[in-house]
Amino acid sequence: MIVKLVILTCLLMCGIFSLAQNESFKYALQGRITDRSSGESLSRASIYIVEQKIGTVADDEGNYSLFIKEPGIYTVQISHIGFENRTLRVPVSGSHTLDIDLNSNAFLKEIIVTGKNSSDNIARPNLGVERLSISQIRKLPSFMGEVDLMKAIQLLPGVHAGNEGSTGFSVRGGNPDQNLVLLDNTTVYNASHLMGFFSIFNNDVISDLELYKGDIPVKYGGRLSSLLDIRTIDRMPERLTATGGIGLISSRLVLQGPIGEKTSWLIGGRRSYADMMIKLSGDKSLEELVLYFYDLNAKISHRLSSRDFLSFNAYYGRDNFGVDVFGVNYGNTAASLTLTHTFSDKLYGKYSVNFSNYNYGVLTDIEGARIQWDASLHDLMLRTDYSHYINKYLDFSYGLTATFHRFVPGNVETPDYGKYTIPRNLAMEHAVYWSNQQELSDKLVLRYGLRWTMFHNIGEATVYRYNENDVVADSVTYKSGQIYNSFNAIEPRVGLIYKFSQSSSFKANYARNVQFIQLANSSSSGSPLDIWFFSGPNVKPQQVDMVSAGYFQNLMNNTLEASLEVYYKQMNNIIDFKDHADLILNKQLEKELRIGKGKAYGIELMVKKNSGRINGFVNYTYSHAERTIPGINDGKTYLSPYDKPHNLKIALNYELSDKFSLSATWIYTTGSPITYPSGRFGIKNEYFPIYSGRNDSRRPDYHRLDLSFNYKPNPKSAKRWKSEWNISIYNAYDRNNPYMITYGYDHKSGIPYAESTYLFGVLPSITYNFKF
C-alpha cells in the first residue's frame, strides 16, 4: 500500500512540474487582500488586470498571484462581495508585491448594495457551511469576561453544547469526538481550558472560522460529523501594534509587528487567575487550591519571493487544577510550517508539516500513597494541496497527506506496585484526494470528488481475540514496526448548486465520511482524561453516509439571509459502551465496546441580518438521533445521548450609537436523554438502583439568556490607543439548568432520591479591552 502511495506521489509531482515548466511569464504581481477595518484576510476576493484580460481569485488566506509577459502600467480591479470595489494603476517592471485592503459596504452609507451581486451564501456550492469572523464573535455576550469562539459555534443551527458552560459541541447528533478541529491546519484533540469552561483559542489571535456540518471538503477526512477550521491572523502590519484585555478571570495581550518589508511576526499570551480570586475570599480551606490556565501563540510569516510564501505557527497551552492531595494538569502543543508556491495564475500549491501533541497527568498523594498517571498522544502530518484552475469546467483540487499517530494511553507509578503501563498504540494514515468544480451553466454548478484513505496499525502490539462472553480466547503478539492490520476506505463527495437568481439558490450533496480514531468516553460532559483509541482488528472504522439539501434566499438587497436545510445520516460501526464499562487504564478496552448502527435526521431554519444598527440571527433546528447496537438496551433502538429535538437560538446586536451597543443571546433546547433508575432492590438493608431502558428519560429543558453592554469611549479619536468596556451577564434570569444529576438513598428509610447540581446562577463579568 505504501508503494502505491509513493507511485501516486511521483506521478502527481511530475505532472505538476511539467505544467509549471510550460509557463513563460516573466513578471509577477502578487500579494494579499484584507479587510481594512479588521485586517482579516478576504478569501475568494477577485482581482482582474484590464489590459491583459486576465484575473484570478484569492485563496482561503487572501493570497493571490498573477503573471504577466510584458512590463507596463496596468489597471487592476479588486472586488469582494460586501466590500467596496477598488481600481488601482500599478506599474509592473519586475516581480511586484501589492497588498490591498478593502472597505466594507456596511460602513459606507453612500454605497448601495444591489441584488445584482449575489452573496457568498447563495453562490458557494458547499452545503451546511457556517462562517464567523472574529468581529461577529466579539459582539456576543462573554462568559466570565471571555468572548469564546467555541461558545459562538454552539449558537449555530444543528450544533448543541455538550454541557452547561462547556466548550464541547455535538453536530447533527454526532459525538464530540466526531468533530475535526483544526488550528492553522493542525489537529487539536482537546480544545478546552478549565475543564471545558473556556476554549484554548485566544480571540485576539483568531481571524475567522468555518464550520462544515457533514459536507466536509474532500481534502479533509478522519471524522464523521464536522470540520471546524480556525485560522489565526495573517497580515503585514505597518508598525508595532498591541491588542489585549483585562477581565475578572483572565487577561490577554497580543503583539504584532513587521521586520523589513517581507516579514511579519505575532506573539500572544493569556493567563487566568481564578485561584487568586478565590483565595481572596478568606476561606482557609481553599488556600491550597490551584486553578489556572495559560497559553501562548506565535506566528512568523515571510515572503521568500514573488511566488513563495513561508509561515510558521505555534501554540502552547497548559491547565493546572488541584488541592494539596490531588492534582490534574493537561495541555496542547501545536505547530505548523507551511510553504505556498504559485506555479502560475492557474496553479497554486501548498506544502505543510504539522505537529500536534496532547498530554495529561494525574497526581494523588494521600497519606504517602503517591500515584502518578501520565498519558499523551502525538500526530506528525505531511501534506500537499494543489488548486488548479483550467477553465470553468475544470477547476481541480488534489493532493495527499501522510500522518503518523502515536498514542500512549497511560503510565502509572505507585510506591507499592511500581510502574504499570498500557502499551502504546502506533498507526499510519495516508490519503489521496481529487475533486473538480464544474460550471455547467450560469445557473448550475456541479462539484464532485473522491478521497482514498489507508489506515495501518503498527506494532509492537498484542491483539486479543474474545469469545461471546468477552473472555480472552487467545492473543497474537506483533513485533515493533510490523504492520498487522490495514483498512482501505473510499469516500465519495458530490454536490450541486442551482441558482434560480442572483439572490436565491438550491443546493444538494452526498458525502461519505470514515473515522479511524475515537474517544473512550461514556458521558456527555467530557473530561480532559478521556482516552483516544484506534480502529483495529476488533474495532472497525466508523462510517456515515449523509445526504442533505437546502434552499437559500437573500432579501432586501442582500440585507437578510434566509436558509432552510434538511439532512439524513446513516451510520455504521457506531461505537457505544456496555453498562458499567471499565474505560480507565484497561489493556483490553475492546471488550467494553459495543458496535452497531445509528441514524440522524433534521431540519434547520435560519434568518440572518448582517448589517444595520440591529443585526444578528435567529435559527431553529428540529432533529432526531438514535442507535441500534446489539448488547445495549436488549438490542432495541434507543436515543443517542445527543438527541435534542427542539433547538431555538437568538443572537441580536443593537448599535445604539458609535459609543454604545447592546447584545443578547437566548437559547432553548430540549433536555438531553438520560437513564434514570426505575426501581430498587435491597440486600441486608443495602439498596441498589434498577435501571430500565438506555436513555429512556430526559433532563429538564435547557434555556438561558445572556446580556452584554459595550462602551467605546472615543471611537472616532485619531489617537492610536483604542479601548472598550464590556459588561456581560451570563444566565440573566437565573435559570437553574442541571449540570449533574446524582442518585442516592436515605439510609434510614431506604427511599431513593435524585439530586441536581446547578453550576451557575446569575454570573456578571466586566472586561477592559484595548488596542494600539
Side-chain angles (χ1 to χ4, degrees):
M1 206 61 65
I2 295 177
V3 174
K4 292 181 181 178
L5 186 61
V6 172
I7 294 172
L8 285 170
T9 304
C10 294
L11 291 173
L12 191 63
M13 297 301 294
C14 290
I16 289 167
F17 285 114
S18 64
L19 284 168
Q21 291 170 355
N22 290 332
E23 299 294 342
S24 59
F25 296 104
K26 187 176 181 181
Y27 305 98
L29 180 65
Q30 47 75 38
R32 177 174 288 114
I33 303 175
T34 58
D35 180 345
R36 179 175 297 173
S37 63
S38 66
E40 298 166 0
S41 299
L42 295 179
S43 63
R44 314 307 292 175
S46 298
I47 183 166
Y48 181 75
I49 298 179
V50 175
E51 291 82 1
Q52 295 287 310
K53 295 183 179 179
I54 60 173
T56 189
V57 175
D59 65 14
D60 290 340
E61 286 79 33
N63 297 308
Y64 74 91
S65 293
L66 287 168
F67 295 91
I68 305 166
K69 294 183 178 180
E70 301 293 336
I73 299 176
Y74 294 100
T75 303
V76 181
Q77 297 176 343
I78 309 97
S79 62
H80 190 275
I81 295 168
F83 288 79
E84 177 188 12
N85 294 342
R86 285 191 70 179
T87 301
L88 303 172
R89 293 285 289 170
V90 179
V92 177
S93 57
S95 295
H96 184 76
T97 299
L98 179 65
D99 292 328
I100 305 163
D101 52 20
L102 300 181
N103 260 329
S104 171
N105 280 335
F107 299 101
L108 300 175
K109 296 181 181 178
E110 67 272 17
I111 294 179
I112 299 173
V113 183
T114 67
K116 296 180 181 180
N117 293 324
S118 61
S119 295
D120 185 61
N121 67 309
I122 299 296
R124 188 172 184 172
N126 295 87
L127 187 62
V129 180
E130 304 289 351
R131 282 181 169 178
L132 286 176
S133 68
I134 195 62
S135 57
Q136 293 173 304
I137 295 171
R138 285 173 179 156
K139 293 178 181 179
L140 300 173
S142 65
F143 175 74
M144 296 186 185
E146 281 280 332
V147 177
D148 199 309
L149 65 86
M150 298 298 280
K151 290 185 172 60
I153 286 293
Q154 296 171 0
L155 295 172
L156 298 174
V159 182
H160 312 314
N163 211 336
E164 169 74 8
S166 170
T167 57
F169 64 99
S170 165
V171 175
R172 292 180 170 177
N175 292 2
D177 67 309
Q178 294 172 356
N179 305 314
L180 176 61
V181 180
L182 297 179
L183 176 63
D184 282 332
N185 223 28
T186 304
T187 303
V188 175
Y189 282 96
N190 184 355
S192 70
H193 277 314
L194 284 185
M195 303 299 180
F197 296 118
F198 296 91
S199 80
I200 67 170
F201 305 111
N202 183 341
N203 68 79
D204 289 330
V205 174
I206 302 304
S207 169
D208 57 13
L209 61 87
E210 290 182 315
L211 177 69
Y212 295 83
K213 298 180 293 187
D215 185 15
I216 299 173
V218 70
K219 68 179 179 179
Y220 298 109
R223 298 293 188 274
L224 295 192
S225 293
S226 76
L227 163 68
L228 178 58
D229 188 11
I230 302 169
R231 292 180 286 270
T232 58
I233 295 170
D234 193 4
R235 63 175 182 262
M236 176 69 78
E238 296 178 357
R239 57 179 181 267
L240 176 66
T241 63
T243 306
I246 302 172
L248 297 178
I249 301 296
S250 65
S251 294
R252 63 193 192 278
L253 177 65
V254 177
L255 301 175
Q256 288 180 268
I259 303 175
E261 296 181 355
K262 294 184 176 182
T263 307
S264 64
W265 59 271
L266 174 150
I267 186 167
R270 188 170 53 149
R271 213 285 194 181
S272 72
Y273 31 79
D275 51 345
M276 301 179 188
M277 302 296 291
I278 292 173
K279 289 177 183 178
L280 293 176
S281 66
D283 189 340
K284 293 184 178 181
S285 64
L286 299 176
E287 289 182 355
E288 301 297 327
L289 177 67
V290 175
L291 179 63
Y292 69 91
F293 70 82
Y294 65 90
D295 50 39
L296 298 170
N297 290 86
K299 187 166 191 172
I300 187 165
S301 303
H302 178 69
R303 191 168 291 281
L304 299 170
S305 69
S306 60
R307 299 191 180 203
D308 300 282
F309 188 81
L310 184 67
S311 66
F312 174 75
N313 309 279
Y315 168 86
Y316 179 77
R318 299 299 301 175
D319 275 75
N320 287 278
F321 166 75
V323 290
D324 56 348
V325 297
F326 174 79
V328 176
N329 69 86
Y330 62 96
N332 291 274
T333 302
S336 63
L337 181 66
T338 303
L339 172 67
T340 58
H341 176 73
T342 304
F343 296 98
S344 71
D345 58 348
K346 294 184 177 181
L347 180 59
Y348 170 83
K350 179 185 289 188
Y351 313 90
S352 63
V353 180
N354 307 295
F355 170 79
S356 86
N357 167 258
Y358 172 63
N359 59 83
Y360 56 84
V362 180
L363 175 64
T364 63
D365 191 353
I366 301 175
E367 297 180 354
R370 180 185 175 89
I371 301 175
Q372 185 169 347
W373 171 24
D374 298 298
S376 63
L377 56 95
H378 313 259
D379 276 0
L380 179 62
M381 172 186 285
L382 306 176
R383 68 176 302 140
T384 62
D385 301 288
Y386 299 96
S387 297
H388 191 177
Y389 177 83
I390 298 176
N391 54 46
K392 66 179 182 178
Y393 302 107
L394 301 173
D395 187 357
F396 296 136
S397 294
Y398 46 86
L400 53 89
T401 65
T403 306
F404 177 70
H405 302 287
R406 179 176 180 267
F407 290 2
V408 181
N411 293 308
V412 179
E413 186 172 353
T414 67
D416 296 330
Y417 300 100
K419 290 186 178 181
Y420 175 80
T421 300
I422 301 295
R424 67 180 185 176
N425 296 316
L426 304 178
M428 287 290 293
E429 185 175 350
H430 311 287
V432 179
Y433 74 88
W434 172 88
S435 68
N436 181 36
Q437 183 167 305
Q438 194 169 359
E439 187 177 338
L440 299 176
S441 69
D442 292 339
K443 293 182 178 293
L444 181 61
V445 177
L446 183 64
R447 176 179 52 84
Y448 49 88
L450 196 67
R451 180 181 179 88
W452 174 31
T453 306
M454 295 147 281
F455 187 88
H456 310 288
N457 298 101
I458 303 174
E460 180 179 0
T462 299
V463 176
Y464 298 95
R465 295 187 178 94
Y466 305 94
N467 61 24
E468 62 277 6
N469 298 318
D470 289 329
V471 176
V472 175
D474 59 66
S475 63
V476 180
T477 300
Y478 298 93
K479 63 182 180 180
S480 178
Q482 182 180 358
I483 295 176
Y484 62 87
N485 182 72
S486 296
F487 293 107
N488 283 276
I490 302 296
E491 302 172 62
R493 318 270 172 90
V494 180
L496 65 84
I497 173 175
Y498 183 83
K499 291 182 281 188
F500 298 103
S501 67
Q502 295 296 320
S503 59
S504 64
S505 65
F506 170 81
K507 303 178 187 180
N509 87 285
Y510 162 78
R512 170 175 290 179
N513 301 327
V514 179
Q515 181 165 336
F516 301 95
I517 302 172
Q518 38 271 319
L519 193 63
N521 172 24
S522 58
S523 69
S524 61
S525 59
S527 163
L529 309 182
D530 293 334
I531 298 171
W532 292 83
F533 63 97
F534 297 135
S535 297
N538 295 314
V539 183
K540 293 182 179 179
Q542 300 180 80
Q543 176 185 302
V544 64
D545 292 282
M546 187 181 81
V547 292
S548 55
Y551 177 75
F552 299 81
Q553 176 75 58
N554 285 5
L555 306 167
M556 299 171 59
N557 292 330
N558 292 332
T559 302
L560 288 180
E561 297 179 6
S563 63
L564 183 153
E565 296 184 40
V566 296
Y567 67 89
Y568 180 86
K569 298 166 65 173
Q570 182 65 50
M571 295 167 279
N572 294 314
N573 302 325
I574 292 299
I575 292 173
D576 209 332
F577 301 93
K578 69 179 187 180
D579 295 334
H580 314 297
D582 180 13
L583 304 181
I584 304 299
L585 297 175
N586 189 345
K587 291 184 178 181
Q588 300 171 12
L589 185 64
E590 300 99 329
K591 70 179 184 180
E592 309 296 323
L593 307 180
R594 297 295 181 267
I595 299 173
K597 297 183 177 181
K599 69 177 181 180
Y601 55 84
I603 180 170
E604 301 168 358
L605 301 96
M606 187 169 186
V607 177
K608 183 191 300 184
K609 187 174 185 290
N610 293 317
S611 60
R613 289 196 176 274
I614 299 178
N615 53 76
F617 57 81
V618 178
N619 65 69
Y620 168 77
T621 302
Y622 173 78
S623 61
H624 178 72
E626 64 182 38
R627 299 172 180 176
T628 306
I629 299 178
I632 296 180
N633 203 42
D634 295 327
K636 296 181 291 186
T637 299
Y638 64 98
L639 296 177
S640 162
Y642 307 99
D643 176 80
K644 298 180 180 180
H646 300 286
N647 294 263
L648 177 63
K649 301 163 187 175
I650 302 171
L652 296 176
N653 179 61
Y654 180 29
E655 299 175 5
L656 299 168
S657 66
D658 293 335
K659 290 186 175 182
F660 301 98
S661 66
L662 296 173
S663 298
T665 59
W666 187 74
I667 301 172
Y668 168 83
T669 67
T670 305
S672 58
I674 190 171
T675 305
Y676 285 136
S678 59
R680 61 181 179 131
F681 68 94
I683 301 176
K684 295 182 179 180
N685 296 324
E686 289 289 331
Y687 292 90
F688 303 91
I690 298 174
Y691 295 91
S692 56
R694 174 78 68 97
N695 292 341
D696 61 352
S697 300
R698 287 191 182 274
R699 295 187 180 197
D701 290 352
Y702 182 99
H703 52 89
R704 190 188 78 239
L705 173 68
D706 301 335
L707 301 173
S708 178
F709 173 76
N710 294 280
Y711 169 62
K712 298 179 181 179
N714 299 296
K716 296 183 179 180
S717 172
K719 296 181 179 180
R720 288 185 59 189
W721 183 274
K722 303 289 184 183
S723 63
E724 178 185 40
W725 288 94
N726 174 273
I727 301 173
S728 292
I729 302 175
Y730 181 88
N731 195 15
Y733 56 75
D734 195 22
R735 165 69 176 179
N736 289 331
N737 291 302
Y739 176 73
M740 183 184 301
I741 299 177
T742 56
Y743 312 103
Y745 68 94
D746 185 280
H747 287 276
K748 293 183 178 180
S749 65
I751 298 175
Y753 63 86
E755 186 175 48
S756 294
T757 300
Y758 305 106
L759 201 58
F760 300 114
V762 178
L763 188 63
S765 62
I766 184 169
T767 306
Y768 177 71
N769 300 308
F770 58 86
K771 182 177 183 180
F772 64 88

